[in-house]
């Protein structure tokens, strides 16, 4: 199922903020419907699923990897991935750099920042992100480019809390945008907002929202 009217409404709501259709778990016909409605940005959270779908969908789609990425799987997506949203270590960046070099390209990456209250295994805190951005090892990586941050707000009904979490990440983004500039750092994208909170995220300065269930129906 793809909800075209909802897609159109979200696009109108967003203005200049980009919409990434999160198609994880959804079958190819659903993606084709979205593509036919004009959607060119698709988000997947699993490498194998993204590889399989990429092979069956048109060439001009921009594939966004939004889920946790294991180093040993980077090689499967390095030739085509448009943006990796979920980078959370130097080790992973080094592997992305290596595979991007093999494919003679530069892969754009976002650092995943941990902003929610609840415990999660993934993401960097603000200090860890700064340490990474300042590291000497990062300077040597010519085949990656860090172009911003991704964050997920707490899973809560409390919209004030969600807004505060997004606002904190926006402040950090603005600070980094003016502080860090080098060959492979050019901060210009802020990926925050999902089905439940995309409007709040857009109001708080998100440049790209990742919307799944609202567009494709709930997942099992
Ligand atoms: C699944 C997922 C989304 C989309 O979630 P919805 O609530 O269905 O919009 C966004 N971002 C990430 C990282 C996800 O894993």
């Amino acid at each position: 199922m793809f909800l075209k009217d909802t897609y159109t409404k979200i696009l109108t709501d967003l203005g200049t903020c980009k919409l990434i259709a999160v198609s994880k778990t959804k079958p190819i016909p659903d993606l084709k419907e979205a593509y036919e409605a004009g959607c060119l940005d698709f988000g997947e959270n699993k490498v194998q699923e993204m590889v399989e779908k990429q092979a069956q969908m048109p060439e001009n789609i921009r594939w966004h990897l939004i889920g946790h990425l294991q180093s040993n799987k980077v090689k499967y997506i390095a030739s085509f991935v448009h943006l990796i949203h979920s980078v959370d270590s130097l080790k992973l960046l080094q592997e992305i750099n290596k595979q991007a070099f093999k494919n003679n390209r530069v892969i754009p990456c976002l650092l995943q920042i941990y902003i929610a209250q609840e415990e999660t295994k993934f993401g960097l805190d603000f200090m860890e992100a700064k340490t990474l951005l300042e590291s000497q090892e990062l300077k040597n990586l010519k085949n990656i480019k860090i172009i911003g941050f991704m964050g997920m707000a707490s899973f809560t009904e409390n919209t004030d809390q969600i807004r505060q979490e997004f606002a904190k990440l926006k402040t950090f983004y603005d600070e980094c945008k003016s502080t860090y500039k080098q060959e492979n750092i050019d901060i210009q994208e802020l990926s925050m907002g999902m089905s439940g909170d995309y409007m709040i995220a857009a109001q708080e300065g998100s440049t790209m929202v990742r919307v799944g269930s609202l567009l494709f129906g709930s997942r099992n």
Side-chain angles (χ1 to χ4, degrees):
M1 158 166 78
F2 171 71
L3 300 165
K4 187 170 179 200
D5 292 349
T6 308
Y7 174 71
T8 310
K9 181 191 177 296
I10 297 174
L11 279 183
T12 310
D13 286 349
L14 287 178
T16 58
C17 178
K18 291 178 278 261
L19 172 58
I20 296 162
V22 175
S23 48
K24 62 189 186 193
T25 77
K26 299 298 175 182
I28 290 288
D30 290 10
L31 279 72
K32 291 235 160 106
E33 278 183 55
Y35 180 78
E36 267 142 41
C39 180
L40 289 175
D41 290 275
F42 288 81
E44 290 285 337
N45 68 336
K46 294 208 168 75
V47 165
Q48 192 185 335
E49 189 175 343
M50 189 161 97
V51 168
E52 284 170 10
K53 287 175 172 172
Q54 192 265 345
Q56 299 173 68
M57 292 291 291
E59 284 276 345
N60 62 340
I61 284 173
R62 297 182 287 260
W63 294 95
H64 297 254
L65 200 280
I66 61 171
H68 182 66
L69 177 59
Q70 289 173 288
S71 291
N72 63 353
K73 296 200 173 155
V74 175
K75 57 178 176 283
Y76 301 116
I77 59 169
S79 67
F80 70 88
V81 69
H82 177 72
L83 177 62
I84 300 175
H85 291 234
S86 45
V87 172
D88 61 358
S89 72
L90 178 65
K91 176 177 162 272
L92 178 57
L93 268 178
Q94 285 167 328
E95 177 62 18
I96 297 169
N97 185 71
K98 181 176 153 190
Q99 299 300 334
F101 176 78
K102 283 190 187 171
N103 285 277
N104 192 29
R105 61 177 296 223
V106 172
I107 297 182
C109 298
L110 305 179
L111 298 182
Q112 183 173 348
I113 309 291
Y114 172 74
I115 53 170
Q117 292 283 284
E118 62 252 8
E119 270 306 313
T120 161
K121 286 172 286 184
F122 306 122
L124 304 163
D125 63 30
F126 293 138
M127 272 309 298
E128 290 169 329
K130 283 188 174 180
T131 303
L132 206 167
L133 289 168
E134 287 163 17
S135 79
Q136 197 55 47
E137 290 97 326
L138 177 67
K139 290 203 170 73
N140 303 326
L141 307 180
K142 310 270 187 236
N143 291 80
I144 56 103
K145 187 173 240 177
I146 296 177
I147 64 164
F149 306 108
M150 186 267 262
M152 269 182 277
S154 295
F155 188 70
T156 172
E157 301 277 281
N158 185 343
T159 54
D160 289 338
Q161 183 184 338
I162 293 170
R163 190 176 292 281
Q164 272 175 34
E165 290 172 0
F166 285 151
K168 258 173 68 180
L169 184 54
K170 174 61 160 60
T171 302
F172 180 73
Y173 163 85
D174 286 336
E175 184 193 334
C176 291
K177 198 176 161 76
S178 52
T179 308
Y180 302 107
K181 279 203 182 86
Q182 63 190 45
E183 273 294 295
N184 61 6
I185 303 178
D186 181 14
I187 307 294
Q188 48 175 299
E189 298 289 356
L190 185 53
S191 168
M192 55 184 199
M194 312 184 5
S195 288
D197 53 22
Y198 77 88
M199 230 16 253
I200 302 175
Q203 286 161 357
E204 296 303 323
S206 176
T207 68
M208 43 175 69
V209 297
R210 312 173 308 273
V211 177
S213 44
L214 214 51
L215 286 177
F216 293 105
S218 58
R219 294 174 297 271
N220 298 321

